[in-house]
Amino acid sequence: MAQQSFEDLVTNNCAKAGGNIAKLNDKQAMLKFNMDSGIEQILYITKYDSILNFSVPSAAVFDSLEEIPHIISSILLTKNAAYKLGEWCVEKIQGKMVYCIMHNVDMNFVDSGYFVNLVSCLVSECDKFDGFLVETEVGCANLSKLTVNIKQ
């Protein structure tokens, strides 16, 4: 079986996973998902040689590690232990500390079923977490943006 290109992998499977391609080149993709919650989730895929990094940033954005309510980290680390696909992490994005759910996998192991399952799991888990943030009114930078989208 011939290995398909990164762009073909994304193009052939994005709609199957329920998303729309917002950006795509030979190294990166940005997919958008309109969730039933009213939240738009964005999934980034970055290709590093044969490794694909799938990442969905949440609305939990903080200026520094010291500002993060550490109970959130404990809850998400506990969830990590139960996941087969994906894990929560804190990434520094544009100078802010952002909770993201991500997964790395060798592109040679990603077929259509794996892609759809992985992407669906990641955006769904991030959507649940963002919904939790809204319900509990955790103070973070992107929360007002989320509640505006939900109320529309």
Side-chain angles (χ1 to χ4, degrees):
M1 180 172 105
Q3 180 67 36
Q4 60 184 327
S5 73
F6 173 71
E7 291 167 290
D8 287 344
L9 177 70
V10 173
T11 301
N12 294 338
N13 294 296
C14 180
K16 293 176 190 173
N20 297 302
I21 298 171
K23 174 185 170 185
L24 178 62
N25 60 44
D26 64 335
K27 298 281 185 204
Q28 295 182 320
M30 182 173 83
L31 312 180
K32 293 186 176 184
F33 297 83
N34 294 314
M35 308 301 287
D36 290 340
S37 66
I39 298 171
E40 179 182 70
Q41 296 294 341
I42 298 175
L43 179 133
Y44 296 91
I45 308 170
T46 305
K47 184 176 185 283
Y48 301 100
D49 296 319
S50 69
I51 301 298
L52 300 180
N53 171 268
F54 292 76
S55 180
V56 184
S58 75
V61 178
F62 300 91
D63 289 328
S64 68
L65 284 175
E66 293 76 28
E67 291 185 12
I68 296 174
H70 291 287
I71 187 68
I72 293 175
S73 296
S74 297
I75 291 168
L76 294 179
L77 285 172
T78 302
K79 285 181 155 286
N80 281 353
Y83 290 158
K84 302 287 186 252
L85 296 172
E87 57 271 350
W88 284 99
C89 64
V90 177
E91 289 186 77
K92 191 168 191 173
I93 302 174
Q94 297 178 346
K96 305 282 186 177
M97 304 310 292
V98 181
Y99 278 97
C100 300
I101 188 163
M102 53 88 61
H103 188 81
N104 294 323
V105 63
D106 190 304
M107 187 172 162
N108 296 312
F109 297 115
V110 180
D111 61 12
S112 183
Y114 189 96
F115 184 98
V116 170
N117 190 34
L118 174 60
V119 167
S120 298
C121 286
L122 295 178
V123 296
S124 176
E125 285 301 310
C126 192
D127 195 56
K128 288 178 199 172
F129 179 59
D130 284 347
F132 164 78
L133 294 175
V134 171
E135 286 177 25
T136 59
E137 299 179 358
V138 172
C140 53
N142 283 357
L143 195 57
S144 61
K145 180 182 139 203
L146 266 186
T147 55
V148 167
N149 288 340
I150 291 173
K151 292 176 184 175
Q152 292 178 345

